[in-house]
Amino acid sequence: MKPSSSSPNSTLATVEKIALVLLPLTLVAFICAFNLPDQFRIERLISRGSNISPHAGDGATSAHTPEFRLLMGILTVADRYEARDRLRLLHALQPPVPAQIDARFVLCNVTGDEHRILVALEIMLYHDIIVLNCSENMNSGKTYAYFSALPELLSGEQEAPYDFVMKTDDDTYFRFPELVESLRRQPREDLYWGHEHPAGEKNPLFMRGMGYVLSWDLVRWIASTNVTRNNTAGPEDALVGEWLRAGGRGKNVYSTQGARLNYDDTKPVMYDFPYPPWTFVPNTIAVHRLKDRKKWATTLRYFNATRGLKPSKFYHLLN
Ligand SMILES: *[C@@H]1O[C@H](CO)[C@@H](O)[C@H](O)[C@H]1NC(C)=O
Ligand SMILES: *[C@@H]1O[C@H](CO)[C@@H](O)[C@H](O)[C@H]1NC(C)=O
Ligand SMILES: *[C@@H]1O[C@H](CO)[C@@H](O)[C@H](O)[C@H]1NC(C)=O
Ligand SMILES: *[C@@H]1O[C@H](CO)[C@@H](O)[C@H](O)[C@H]1NC(C)=O
Ligand SMILES: *[C@@H]1O[C@H](CO)[C@@H](O)[C@H](O)[C@H]1NC(C)=O
């Protein structure tokens, strides 16, 4: 007769086996626990999801629930591999923030065999690309395609998978701590946040396309209303302002300009790459129109992005 699996002997053997496996695991867990001297590593996990799922950060403890969740949609096109890599690098090296920021690169239909293979490989490694059902364009409806696709793409577990949704470009550098400091103080509903375009008769209020944020309720509204559907082509940033006005939405306007409509006494904290007499400002949230490596380097040098580089005999780069 074969020993039954529940015989006392084999149960004992199983217990021993489990113990043998658990002991080293427990030791590893202890070592890890003592080597986590601060909360930052956990928050670092929270701040960067690795999957399109909005819950990528949930592995961390609930004591570190992010203050808010932001989907940062970076509109770009397939062949801008370097731009994507640079942003991934910069996002990974940002200081830890108490918010969940999920950066996603947003493409329209990928055409060209080489792009289809190479972008597929990027997706396999980074899980940070969304391909919408549209053909590439800047001002012919891509922004509408982006916002209107999100409720369906992210439908499921939660009423609001994100508190905020951003639209930005791949030539914009965001500083996460400064961004979070501004957004955490904003209402979670009916919010239209960004760098306000100087209003004029021809162009009433809108936030410039370098990076604006809508609360999730407005994203859902854009996807469901007929106010937007027949009005998707045109300068994408001005159009968003137009939709909100037409629908009576976006009442919580926050311009990073601070004192709205008073451009003389507040320095903007989101701006295009500055040429003299303009300069960078220390409390910058975002710099836009970083069109070449030199502009990126100048910007990153000003903001001390390489501050954490450790001295080593293996390289000699700075100074
Ligand atoms: C994709 O867009 C095309 C053209 O606008 C449309 O005909 C098609 O139904 C769309 N497909 C899906 C899956 O939405
Ligand atoms: C995008 O690609 C899909 C799948 O190849 C196709 O069904 C759709 O019609 C395309 N959409 C547009 C707008 O070209
Ligand atoms: C939009 O839809 C509403 C009903 O949901 C309708 O009353 C309204 O006339 C429509 N607007 C336009 C511009 O068609
Ligand atoms: C959108 O435009 C189409 C074609 O011009 C028209 O048939 C339709 O009624 C319009 N819908 C709305 C909601 O304005
Ligand atoms: C960069 O570092 C220098 C030297 O420590 C400091 O004076 C400067 O304020 C820093 N710049 C910013 C934007 O933090």
Side-chain angles (χ1 to χ4, degrees):
M1 200 179 148
K2 273 192 268 175
S4 112
S5 65
S6 61
S7 83
N9 272 348
S10 77
T11 306
L12 206 64
T14 312
V15 168
E16 277 168 5
K17 274 184 215 154
I18 292 173
L20 274 177
V21 173
L22 278 185
L23 190 65
L25 280 181
T26 314
L27 278 175
V28 167
F30 263 107
I31 291 165
C32 288
F34 284 113
N35 277 321
L36 273 177
D38 50 37
Q39 61 177 346
F40 289 137
R41 296 190 193 190
I42 292 168
E43 282 175 355
R44 186 167 271 276
L45 287 178
I46 292 176
S47 69
R48 262 176 295 285
S50 61
N51 201 291
I52 187 58
S53 148
H55 304 298
D58 280 7
T61 137
S62 60
H64 295 278
T65 305
E67 283 194 34
F68 62 82
R69 295 151 303 160
L70 167 69
L71 176 67
M72 177 184 253
I74 305 161
L75 272 58
T76 183
V77 296
D79 73 354
R80 293 183 55 77
Y81 298 96
E82 180 178 333
R84 285 195 292 281
D85 278 345
R86 181 166 41 226
L87 287 172
R88 286 187 185 113
L89 178 67
L90 291 172
H91 293 167
L93 291 172
Q94 292 271 350
V97 289
Q100 178 184 328
I101 300 179
D102 293 343
R104 298 290 180 262
F105 297 100
V106 180
L107 311 178
C108 285
N109 271 0
V110 176
T111 54
D113 279 342
E114 80 278 26
H115 293 318
R116 280 202 280 261
I117 298 294
L118 295 174
V119 169
L121 290 171
E122 276 184 76
I123 292 173
M124 288 166 69
L125 182 56
Y126 299 113
H127 309 283
D128 62 357
I129 290 180
I130 299 175
V131 180
L132 301 170
N133 180 19
C134 49
S135 49
E136 280 304 350
N137 67 80
M138 189 158 81
N139 288 323
S140 307
K142 183 168 179 178
T143 293
Y144 174 73
Y146 164 55
F147 284 122
S148 63
L150 290 178
E152 179 73 28
L153 282 175
L154 300 172
S155 70
E157 306 115 86
Q158 241 177 331
E159 176 99 345
Y162 288 98
D163 300 291
F164 304 126
V165 177
M166 173 188 285
K167 179 265 150 186
T168 181
D169 299 325
D170 65 13
D171 61 350
T172 305
Y173 173 51
F174 268 96
R175 301 174 74 221
F176 284 7
E178 287 72 15
L179 172 66
V180 167
E181 192 47 41
S182 178
L183 280 179
R184 69 199 297 214
R185 290 180 277 117
Q186 307 304 328
R188 304 308 195 243
E189 289 190 344
D190 215 23
L191 176 72
Y192 186 28
W193 176 103
H195 174 91
E196 188 176 338
H197 189 275
E201 260 174 42
K202 278 173 83 181
N203 49 12
L205 184 140
F206 69 91
M207 302 301 176
R208 288 187 49 199
M210 64 170 77
Y212 52 84
V213 170
L214 300 172
S215 50
W216 180 254
D217 56 318
L218 292 183
V219 174
R220 256 201 330 231
W221 173 76
I222 287 173
S224 61
T225 179
N226 57 13
V227 166
T228 51
R229 237 164 261 159
N230 268 6
N231 189 15
T232 64
E236 63 93 18
D237 46 7
L239 209 49
V240 172
E242 223 172 88
W243 295 338
L244 296 175
R245 228 176 355 269
R249 306 285 171 130
K251 290 290 193 303
N252 296 316
V253 170
Y254 185 86
S255 172
T256 59
Q257 216 93 349
R260 283 183 54 203
L261 306 180
N262 184 351
Y263 294 92
D264 294 322
D265 62 21
T266 9
K267 284 202 173 165
V269 290
M270 290 171 70
Y271 45 86
D272 291 344
F273 180 82
Y275 295 95
W278 309 109
T279 57
F280 294 107
V281 295
N283 56 339
T284 295
I285 294 178
V287 185
H288 177 233
R289 293 189 67 81
L290 298 172
K291 293 289 185 199
D292 55 49
R293 289 180 200 148
K294 208 163 171 199
K295 291 194 172 80
W296 275 100
T298 305
T299 305
L300 296 171
R301 185 176 300 119
Y302 176 84
F303 293 109
N304 296 324
T306 57
R307 191 172 22 211
L309 182 73
K310 302 229 173 11
S312 164
K313 63 182 179 186
F314 289 101
Y315 44 76
H316 46 92
L317 287 173
L318 308 171
N319 307 321

